[in-house]
């Protein structure tokens, strides 16, 4: 199956996010209200994105760590289809969240183990987001064999895995042969001189590699 | 030193948070814009609390996991004195955040080790928040020797430690002999029939035990 393309909107204001998503929302498969944007604007950001793109999957990247039921209900009420929980959240938090919204994605940061991942699956959560942290990327780290092996392990376990962090049309091919569920791009789309072309180029490269 | 008392506002709307904090903001030492509230209302919540209580420490409980510099700058601009990062954030994320705001608190959830804690100290971060997850509490877990030993270990390492989760005037004495920096209470204050009395009772019990 062709991996999805997701645009991450990590803007400081709703207005700037709307300007960034205007030309690309209908090209990508999934529109993400990024953590920065939600922390700035609240659920107004999620509501606005769902209002503009009712037929796209809208993700609230809350990285929820606690009070999963309340946060998930709030995000679902605002129009989010899926929501993220941080991997260090407890299983009760993830389960509580999973009851209130269509799907939960586990955001992988820091220490987590295969045993943790199995617990998430056992709790009914089958999406994970594998990250290169933006700050880690700024410190010079990049995608490597270690990352790809972890992604493959998660896919083999039964997760649908989204990958994100420093992705562009040149780095997609690193994932050839891996059943990635979704590629998440932020600045590679929104900061391009022609964002619609950048999104289309990414979609075409995904189709070329995973045809 | 007398431990601080912090009220956590985990409301779904700014208006409800204002109603809850109105009578207690000047009794407590620290006012917290909770994660649920910020995800709902954005930085407007932080700005409003600082406007109402300019002489109190205001904490933005963002549980920041990535893009630390941007999130911390945004919260500082909104008037937050301190901000939380989730323990699974990378050290570069925490360092980036720590540059942009007065102080960072590490929120302890899930897997973390003494070695991690030493890395936070080495990165210049000396506040930690020890949690009983609300969802874990709902599942029947409570404060025990294991928790107290972890709090003591962090204090001995040099952290100022805030504790939170199911605290009330009866459970404070569990911490007797431990140099807790801050007790965080939410519903024990805001859902009391007389919130001002509940906050005053907590302050008096703290003074009695840590005089």
């Amino acid at each position: 199956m062709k991996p999805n393309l997701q645009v991450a909107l990590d803007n400081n204001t709703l207005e700037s996010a709307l300007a960034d998503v205007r030309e690309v929302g209908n090209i990508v498969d999934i529109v993400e209200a990024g953590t920065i944007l939600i922390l700035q604007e609240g659920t107004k950001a999620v509501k606005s994105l769902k209002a503009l793109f009712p037929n796209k999957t809208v993700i609230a990247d809350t990285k929820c760590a606690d009070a999963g039921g309340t946060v998930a209900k709030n995000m679902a009420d605002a129009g989010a289809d899926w929501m993220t929980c941080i991997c260090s959240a407890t299983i009760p938090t993830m389960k509580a969240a999973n009851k209130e919204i269509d799907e939960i994605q586990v955001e992988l940061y820091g220490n987590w183990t295969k045993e943790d991942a199995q617990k998430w699956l056992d709790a009914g959560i089958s999406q994970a987001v594998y990250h290169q942290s933006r700050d880690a990327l700024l410190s010079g780290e990049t995608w490597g064999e270690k990352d790809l092996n972890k992604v493959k392990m998660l896919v083999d376990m039964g997760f649908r895995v989204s990958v994100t962090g420093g992705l562009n049309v040149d780095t997609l091919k690193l994932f050839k042969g891996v059943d990635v569920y979704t590629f998440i791009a932020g600045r590679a789309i929104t900061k391009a001189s022609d964002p619609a072309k950048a999104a289309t180029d990414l979609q075409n490269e995904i189709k070329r590699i995973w045809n």
Side-chain angles (χ1 to χ4, degrees), chain A residues 2 15 50 74 93 113 120-121 127 138 173 186 192-193 211:
Chain A
K2 183 193 90 66
E15 297 74 17
K50 194 63 184 182
N74 288 346
T93 291
T113 64
W120 306 327
L121 277 181
Q127 288 206 57
L138 289 174
K173 64 173 78 72
S193 58
N211 67 354

Side-chain angles (χ1 to χ4, degrees), chain A residues 34-101:
Chain A
T35 315
I36 293 170
L37 179 63
I38 297 178
L39 290 174
Q40 286 284 93
E41 299 279 6
T43 42
K44 189 168 63 168
V46 176
K47 289 176 191 167
S48 301
L49 293 173
K50 194 63 184 182
L52 282 169
F53 303 104
N55 300 320
K56 299 292 178 175
T57 299
V58 171
I59 295 183
D61 186 19
T62 50
K63 298 186 174 67
C64 180
D66 201 0
T70 302
V71 173
K73 182 173 188 314
N74 288 346
M75 293 300 147
D77 286 349
D81 300 287
W82 302 343
M83 184 185 99
T84 63
C85 284
I86 195 80
C87 58
S88 49
T90 62
I91 295 292
T93 291
M94 291 190 192
K95 278 190 174 173
N98 207 23
K99 275 186 197 154
E100 301 292 341
I101 196 164

Side-chain angles (χ1 to χ4, degrees), chain A residues 111-160:
Chain A
N111 298 332
W112 58 275
T113 64
K114 190 173 179 181
E115 287 67 36
D116 294 327
Q118 189 58 51
K119 283 180 193 161
W120 306 327
L121 277 181
D122 295 344
I125 293 162
S126 58
Q127 288 206 57
V129 182
Y130 191 92
H131 259 260
Q132 281 284 46
S133 148
R134 185 199 286 192
D135 297 307
L137 288 166
L138 289 174
S139 306
E141 301 179 33
T142 183
W143 290 96
E145 200 61 33
K146 196 182 76 175
D147 300 302
L148 294 175
N149 285 339
K150 285 189 185 170
V151 172
K152 284 179 198 164
M153 181 192 81
L154 290 164
V155 172
D156 289 344
M157 290 178 76
F159 283 97
R160 285 163 291 152

